[in-house]
């Protein structure tokens, strides 16, 4: 009775449709409890596979799941043939991982929320971050707005900074708080990134400030700035990444 439900659940998890963290977690929990109780009928599951019609590899396993590593780095294309040599029903999935050649966050976009990013010096004058002198202190102001008719809860703003910049933690510096504007409900400041979490009522906007310092000379990539409602994938905005440079101090 459970098997058809598990198949539907697995198909949903494997689809490209968005799922919240809670939905994903409970789906995996249900699947894991099912597979924990599943045992191959009549003993071990036996599988035989070949890559590009090469030598056949034979596998025998008793657990509900097996993961096998295939060395495909030098295979430009080809096919994998799998033969189920046992009476147990078998599902095969090919999982590929790697680093994309093109940044998927390279296009500015906004849906259900507005996002604006400004870079200013400490006197509130606009600056060009494409080329900064080493030792420059400046700040980034991210303005997030809710143009809709409903309140937005659990918004996450992610800012990852170039390796040549350092984050100035205003909590640790006397007098730095004067540069602050609106405050998030929670902020997580790490070595190279800042996560901010907050809500926005309809028609409301917030200006969130982070102080920065151009520390190390060189050319660095500034990753995209992203904001999204954590439990509604339709509400999100992206400010594309870009290359920046810190010029060595003479």
């Amino acid at each position: 009775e459970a098997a058809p439900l598990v198949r539907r659940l697995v198909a949903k998890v494997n689809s490209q449709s968005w799922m919240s963290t809670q939905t994903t977690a409970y789906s995996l929990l249900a699947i894991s409890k099912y597979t924990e109780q599943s045992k191959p009928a009549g003993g071990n599951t036996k599988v035989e596979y070949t890559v590009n019609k090469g030598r056949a590899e034979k596998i025998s396993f008793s657990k509900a799941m097996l993961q096998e590593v295939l060395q495909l780095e030098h295979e430009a294309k080809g096919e994998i043939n799998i033969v189920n040599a046992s009476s147990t029903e078998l599902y095969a999935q090919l999982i590929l991982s790697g680093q994309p050649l093109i940044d998927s966050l390279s296009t500015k976009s906004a849906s259900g929320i507005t996002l604006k990013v400004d870079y200013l010096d400490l006197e509130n004058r606009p600056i060009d971050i494409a080329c900064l002198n080493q030792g420059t202190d400046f700040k980034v102001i991210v303005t997030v707005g809710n143009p809709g008719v409903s309140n937005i809860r659990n918004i996450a703003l992610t800012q990852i900074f170039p390796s040549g910049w350092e984050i100035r933690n205003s909590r640790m510096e006397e007098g730095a708080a004067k540069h602050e504007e609106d405050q998030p409900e929670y902020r997580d400041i790490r070595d190279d990134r800042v996560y901010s979490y907050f809500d926005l009522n309809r028609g409301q906007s917030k200006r969130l400030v982070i102080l920065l310092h151009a520390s190390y000379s060189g050319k660095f990539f500034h990753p995209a700035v992203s904001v999204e409602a954590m439990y509604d994938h339709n509400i999100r905005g992206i400010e594309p990444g870009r290359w920046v440079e810190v010029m060595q101090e003479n």
Side-chain angles (χ1 to χ4, degrees):
E1 293 177 0
L5 295 176
V6 171
R7 292 192 190 99
R8 288 172 55 191
L9 193 56
V10 169
K12 181 66 175 178
V13 172
N14 284 334
S15 70
Q16 295 299 315
S17 59
W18 182 81
M19 297 171 65
S20 71
T21 52
Q22 286 96 335
T23 302
T24 303
Y26 271 98
S27 299
L28 295 176
L29 181 63
I31 294 169
S32 66
K33 286 186 176 296
Y34 173 81
T35 56
E36 188 177 38
Q37 300 299 321
S38 301
K39 294 186 180 299
N44 292 351
T45 299
K46 298 179 182 179
V47 179
E48 182 178 302
Y49 72 88
T50 58
V51 178
N52 284 341
K53 299 181 180 180
R55 185 169 63 90
E57 299 287 345
K58 297 182 179 180
I59 306 173
S60 176
F61 58 97
S62 59
K63 295 184 178 180
M65 183 184 300
L66 175 73
Q67 184 167 318
E68 187 79 1
V69 178
L70 304 179
Q71 303 300 329
L72 302 177
E73 288 86 350
H74 303 295
E75 302 287 347
K77 60 181 181 178
E79 62 180 28
I80 300 173
N81 293 311
I82 301 176
V83 177
N84 185 1
S86 60
S87 59
T88 305
E89 193 172 25
L90 180 69
Y91 294 90
Q93 182 177 21
L94 180 63
I95 303 172
L96 301 176
S97 62
Q99 187 71 21
L101 294 176
I102 300 175
D103 183 7
S104 60
L105 303 180
S106 59
T107 303
K108 183 179 179 65
S109 64
S111 174
I113 201 167
T114 61
L115 175 65
K116 185 173 182 288
V117 182
D118 296 301
Y119 296 91
L120 309 174
D121 64 17
L122 299 188
E123 302 301 324
N124 292 318
R125 295 172 298 205
I127 61 172
D128 184 5
I129 62 169
C131 187
L132 294 172
N133 291 324
Q134 190 176 21
T136 300
D137 288 300
F138 60 107
K139 60 185 176 181
V140 55
I141 302 178
V142 176
T143 305
V144 183
N146 177 7
V149 296
S150 302
N151 299 338
I152 305 176
R153 303 301 181 201
N154 303 304
I155 298 172
L157 172 64
T158 301
Q159 296 170 266
I160 305 175
F161 297 103
S163 302
W165 299 0
E166 285 186 328
I167 300 168
R168 290 178 52 183
N169 192 336
S170 57
R171 301 167 182 165
M172 310 293 290
E173 294 186 28
E174 185 177 355
K178 67 180 182 180
H179 297 286
E180 297 282 0
E181 296 192 29
D182 295 320
Q183 291 292 328
E185 272 72 31
Y186 180 78
R187 175 171 278 175
D188 182 4
I189 301 176
R190 305 192 181 186
D191 289 342
D192 66 339
R193 65 196 63 196
V194 176
Y195 300 110
S196 302
Y197 304 92
F198 52 94
D199 301 331
L200 284 178
N201 295 327
R202 59 180 183 176
Q204 183 185 15
S205 63
K206 285 192 174 183
R207 284 167 56 88
L208 305 175
V209 181
I210 296 175
L211 299 181
L212 299 164
H213 181 77
S215 302
Y216 307 103
S217 61
K219 190 174 183 180
F220 311 94
F221 187 73
H222 186 345
V225 178
S226 65
V227 64
E228 63 180 343
M230 296 171 64
Y231 306 113
D232 188 344
H233 192 61
N234 295 315
I235 299 176
R236 59 196 318 241
I238 295 172
E239 180 71 24
R242 56 187 294 191
W243 286 97
V244 299
E245 189 170 3
V246 178
M247 301 299 294
Q248 188 170 12
E249 191 175 29
N250 294 328

